Amino acid sequence: SSSAASDVYKRQHFGMLVYCRVDLPLKDRAILFFESLLYRTLYGRPDGVVVSGFFPAAPKRPDVTFVGPVIRKEVQALEPSRGEHLVVYVGNGDDTFTPSVHEALLRCGVPTRIYGLSRVGVEKNLHFKAFSNLGFLSDLASCRGVVATTGNQLLGEVLFLGKPILGMPMDCLEQRINAQQIERLGIGAVAYGAYLPYEKLQSFLDREREFAAGVHRLEDGAEAAVNAIESHVRPHASPDAADVAPGVTPECSQARSR
């Protein structure tokens, strides 16, 4: 095809770690170095990059655009309120919901709505719920706080709704970095290794309003992402080239000329 045409590629949040400056512990810096080499080998050098994240990060190059998290329309439509319940979401199911997590949630006595497990039913103050997108979002919008694994999309939506979070990162670089940012931003607490002592959970509950006050509700990054992509595509596109779809909402996208 013509060299004037452009492709838009959808990428994951990891691209932010590759193309932006993020303060990391020495061990994770070494891991990121080697994983970045693999990432660049797979994807090459793009003409332009759009990266999305819930915490601010400075781009390493002038052709990298940083935007806030891309928020789903159904989340944008929610009206957040503060109820009395916690929401628990575990991205890798039973591996994260360990006996210590279970015991801490039972012991705290706070009504808790739990998603991401194979179990469904009620045990004292714990309500294990089958996943329902609308049900989950309704519980999320009305909760007092969130206990969850630290994936970028979930964290962006939790902060968009103004909720404090107790993060339980899975054992991977991206989730560890996200967890470190929770602590640095003062918007919650972190329990590592799927181990949640009761004292850690109770401390989070005691400081819930303090953490909530530190949460600055994020703006949706979708429009900024689309604008950045279109600003790169338009100068290179031939007159008959198809326009970039207005609904594109990449978490991390790259525009690359052929």
Side-chain angles (χ1 to χ4, degrees), residues 77-94:
L78 296 170
E79 289 290 338
S81 61
R82 183 193 179 277
E84 294 303 317
H85 66 276
L86 290 173
V87 165
V88 174
Y89 177 80
V90 285
N92 59 344
D94 299 307

Side-chain angles (χ1 to χ4, degrees), residues 40-77:
R40 290 190 175 96
T41 299
L42 289 173
Y43 299 129
R45 182 182 175 89
D47 294 332
V49 179
V50 179
V51 293
S52 168
F54 73 92
F55 60 90
K60 295 178 180 177
R61 300 178 351 209
D63 59 352
V64 176
T65 302
F66 175 85
V67 301
V70 175
I71 307 298
R72 293 176 291 164
K73 292 188 182 301
E74 53 265 48
V75 177
Q76 296 181 44

Side-chain angles (χ1 to χ4, degrees), residues 7-9 49-50 65 222-235 244 248-250 252-255:
D7 286 338
V8 177
Y9 294 93
V49 179
V50 179
T65 302
E223 183 177 356
V226 172
N227 289 341
I229 293 169
E230 290 183 339
S231 69
H232 174 81
V233 171
R234 285 196 187 105
V244 176
V248 173
T249 56
C252 175
S253 300
Q254 299 180 340

Side-chain angles (χ1 to χ4, degrees), residues 92-181:
N92 59 344
D94 299 307
D95 290 342
T96 300
F97 197 79
T98 59
S100 75
V101 176
H102 188 182
E103 177 61 28
L105 291 169
L106 279 172
R107 188 176 170 188
C108 80
V110 174
T112 302
R113 300 168 191 179
I114 302 171
Y115 290 89
L117 301 178
S118 56
R119 178 178 177 181
V120 175
V122 177
E123 179 187 1
K124 296 183 180 179
N125 58 307
L126 309 184
H127 187 179
F128 298 86
K129 305 184 76 169
F131 190 80
S132 158
N133 188 48
L134 293 179
F136 173 73
L137 292 179
S138 176
D139 285 342
L140 185 63
S142 59
C143 73
R144 61 184 288 188
V146 178
V147 179
T149 44
T150 54
N152 179 67
Q153 185 64 32
L154 176 63
L155 289 178
E157 294 181 349
V158 167
L159 298 180
F160 180 81
L161 295 171
K163 306 297 182 180
I165 183 161
L166 198 169
M168 297 189 299
M170 297 162 56
D171 188 20
C172 68
L173 177 63
E174 179 188 351
Q175 292 222 356
R176 287 198 304 274
I177 292 171
N178 290 344
Q180 291 160 14
Q181 293 298 323

Side-chain angles (χ1 to χ4, degrees), residues 14 17-18 24 28-37 173:
F14 189 81
L17 306 181
V18 175
L24 302 175
D28 283 341
R29 266 185 275 167
I31 294 172
L32 179 60
F33 174 79
F34 290 106
E35 292 190 2
S36 296
L37 289 178
L173 177 63

Side-chain angles (χ1 to χ4, degrees), residues 182-246:
I182 290 172
E183 294 181 308
R184 285 176 179 166
L185 294 172
I187 56 178
V190 176
Y192 290 95
Y195 176 65
L196 178 59
Y198 165 73
E199 292 77 14
K200 171 75 76 171
L201 176 58
Q202 190 58 55
S203 174
F204 171 72
L205 294 172
D206 291 342
R207 299 179 63 191
E208 169 217 328
R209 293 186 183 275
E210 173 191 339
F211 290 138
V215 176
H216 301 288
R217 290 192 61 188
L218 302 175
E219 294 184 1
D220 176 35
E223 183 177 356
V226 172
N227 289 341
I229 293 169
E230 290 183 339
S231 69
H232 174 81
V233 171
R234 285 196 187 105
H236 300 285
S238 60
D240 59 347
D243 291 335
V244 176

